[in-house]
Amino acid sequence: MRDANQPLNAQIINDGAGTQDAVDLGNGIFMSRDVSNLYLVTTGDGDVLINTGIIYSAAENKRRFDAVSDKPIRKIVFTQSHEDHIGGWPTFNAPGVETIGHANLPFVRTQYRDLGPAMAARSRRLWSRDQKRELTERPEPVLTTTFHDTHSFGLGGRRFELLSVPGGETVDSLAVWLPQDRIVFTGNMTGPIFGHVPNLYTVRGERYRYVQWYIDSVQRIIDLKPEVLITGHGEPIRGAETIRHSLTRMRDAAQYLRDATFEGMNAGKSLWELIETITLPQELAIPQGHGKVPWIVRSIWEEHLGWFRYESTTELYGTPANSVFPDLITLAGGAEPVLDLATRYLSESQPLKALHIAEAVEAGSPSHRRALEIQLEAQQAILTAAGRENFSEVRWLESEIHRLEAALARTTP
């Protein structure tokens, strides 16, 4: 589990932790710690590599595994198609190695390649201060075996069963089940932090993750009754009852949020009302380090009812609300009385309302110092109120604070 003394984003986003040895997890399984961990399952007839880590750690990861096994890698299995799972493939691939992935992996990889500049720009906005190296070009993995729901194989007396779990971070997510050992590798099916609410939409930019697919995927792992669960990040979770209890709460929390959102939609409540009012009951109040309940509610709403909220005809067209903000500021008598209202909202501990108003002034006057100062104070208040539990939320707020501080440094006091 996570070291409580280490910042959460540093625990999840790292650069492979430098030179170290592979970790012996028992049962002939070894872990190499990376941005997302990779695992070597050894057998007498050769080894199975589960994920290949990120590209810039590939040589170090190979060194670690070469030190614990002199058998060749026979098969490479990808639990999902993110760069930190597949990037090291060229280093580990060799003639005769079978590379196995879900049939949806090429589809997802095409999206990432075609949207690479847009997604990279968004990620840098959040993670640039943690990302010590830029990803470099590398060959795309070539899958030799794909499947849709299940695929199994044996090697060296060990049986491997691959199961589709499309409710994970990507629609090509899969789990690797070793029935003889009762060990399951879930990759990032439940996100980078085990035991937390799902992240049905990540603020860095990603397609929505379907809530029912998530619930069904978690149930599929529960039904296996594993005794060891190995994720993409962190240490293995051991003990059948511990695993069952955690997975059940995760499933039930997602089911509760789905049902509560559906109930509100059927009752004609607005998206904003549901975001403000739906919370998890105490018995299901699991942590929100990656996903966050209001974001889940919005994801469920938009997954099922789409982006048109029936609030305004303007939602259907390309003229945004901020295009008339300067006009409204003028009608209100200029920026100063408007910002007086924003200041009042700050004094009343309503920083989001203050932020709305200050951003409206900035739409027409990008360098208005007082508008920037109010935005900065509002963002700092929002961060304080939110705490530091959700690392994506924290990084977004910190990036906005940094942007506003830089903008203020360029203006005249």
Side-chain angles (χ1 to χ4, degrees):
M1 300 303 286
R2 183 172 70 88
D3 180 352
N5 295 317
Q6 187 175 20
L8 187 141
N9 60 288
Q11 177 79 11
I12 303 305
I13 305 297
N14 58 68
D15 65 355
T19 301
Q20 57 182 260
D21 294 332
V23 180
D24 186 348
L25 301 181
N27 299 85
I29 299 171
F30 296 86
M31 172 177 68
S32 182
R33 291 191 174 95
D34 199 353
V35 175
S36 186
N37 300 333
L38 51 161
Y39 301 92
L40 192 73
V41 183
T42 61
T43 85
D45 292 338
D47 301 336
V48 175
L49 179 63
I50 300 175
N51 295 325
T52 60
I54 205 158
I55 184 171
Y56 53 65
S57 302
E60 170 62 15
N61 286 324
K62 187 175 187 303
R63 182 200 67 78
R64 296 174 190 174
F65 286 148
D66 286 347
V68 298
S69 175
D70 59 2
K71 296 291 193 299
I73 292 173
R74 299 295 189 191
K75 301 176 189 292
I76 296 173
V77 179
F78 293 130
T79 62
Q80 68 186 73
S81 52
H82 283 166
E83 285 289 343
D84 54 332
H85 295 254
I86 70 171
W89 177 81
T91 299
F92 290 100
N93 187 47
V97 174
E98 181 183 12
T99 300
I100 308 172
H102 191 275
N104 285 336
L105 188 146
F107 161 73
V108 179
R109 289 304 306 166
T110 297
Q111 169 201 326
Y112 291 153
R113 288 196 305 273
D114 292 349
L115 283 176
M119 297 181 77
R122 291 170 66 97
S123 291
R124 280 194 296 270
R125 178 78 178 272
L126 289 175
W127 309 113
S128 60
R129 281 165 287 161
D130 291 326
Q131 191 68 45
K132 296 179 176 61
R133 303 183 182 120
E134 289 288 336
L135 295 179
T136 58
E137 290 294 326
R138 51 131 188 90
E140 284 287 319
V142 178
L143 299 181
T144 51
T145 301
T146 64
F147 69 97
H148 286 280
D149 186 56
T150 61
H151 175 74
S152 62
F153 60 87
L155 185 67
R158 300 190 93 145
R159 180 172 174 80
F160 296 77
E161 298 178 2
L162 312 185
L163 310 173
S164 174
V165 283
E169 289 190 333
T170 59
V171 293
D172 60 285
S173 294
L174 63 86
V176 182
W177 171 233
L178 278 56
Q180 294 149 305
D181 302 296
R182 307 211 66 77
I183 296 173
V184 64
F185 298 82
T186 58
N188 284 11
M189 185 197 84
T190 57
I193 324 172
F194 184 76
H196 288 227
V197 297
N199 199 20
L200 299 182
Y201 170 76
T202 172
V203 296
R204 73 169 185 272
E206 181 64 88
R207 66 174 61 247
Y208 288 123
R209 297 154 186 174
Y210 295 167
V211 64
Q212 191 61 54
W213 286 7
Y214 172 83
I215 293 166
D216 293 345
S217 294
V218 174
Q219 185 62 53
R220 190 165 204 181
I221 303 304
I222 292 173
D223 291 343
L224 296 175
K225 300 179 180 179
E227 295 175 4
V228 180
L229 187 149
I230 300 175
T231 69
H233 300 271
E235 301 301 315
I237 297 90
R238 300 182 185 274
E241 180 55 29
T242 296
I243 294 168
R244 186 199 64 79
H245 177 73
S246 294
L247 288 173
T248 299
R249 292 188 78 206
M250 295 159 71
R251 178 203 64 195
D252 290 352
Q255 185 72 55
Y256 178 90
L257 294 173
R258 174 200 177 276
D259 293 347
T261 304
F262 274 30
E263 181 181 355
M265 291 191 296
N266 285 329
K269 295 182 179 180
S270 73
L271 168 61
W272 314 116
E273 182 179 357
L274 297 182
I275 286 174
E276 285 293 311
T277 59
I278 292 178
T279 59
L280 286 169
Q282 185 59 42
E283 66 272 16
L284 296 176
I286 57 179
Q288 301 178 49
H290 191 33
K292 193 172 175 71
V293 167
W295 306 348
I296 295 173
V297 171
R298 184 165 189 167
S299 295
I300 293 170
W301 171 289
E302 294 191 356
E303 175 196 339
H304 294 90
L305 289 184
W307 49 262
F308 184 37
R309 297 188 298 272
Y310 279 51
E311 292 177 358
S312 171
T313 296
T314 61
E315 296 177 54
L316 298 173
Y317 302 97
T319 302
N322 63 9
S323 67
V324 299
F325 284 172
D327 301 320
L328 296 177
I329 299 301
T330 299
L331 290 171
E336 293 308 315
V338 171
L339 292 174
D340 288 343
L341 176 59
T343 301
R344 193 191 83 195
Y345 277 134
L346 279 176
S347 69
E348 295 172 351
S349 299
Q350 298 188 72
L352 286 167
K353 288 186 176 181
L355 187 60
H356 275 309
I357 292 173
E359 287 179 343
V361 171
E362 187 188 18
S365 304
S367 299
H368 195 291
R369 186 172 182 85
R370 188 181 175 200
L372 293 172
E373 289 172 338
I374 290 173
Q375 286 185 67
L376 177 59
E377 186 175 348
Q379 298 277 9
Q380 291 169 332
I382 293 165
L383 177 58
T384 299
R388 305 189 71 86
E389 180 182 22
N390 186 281
F391 66 88
S392 290
E393 179 182 31
V394 168
R395 291 322 301 263
W396 169 257
L397 291 169
E398 287 180 342
S399 74
E400 280 292 273
I401 289 169
H402 178 74
R403 177 185 68 81
L404 291 162
E405 288 174 338
L408 281 166
R410 295 191 296 268
T411 65
T412 302

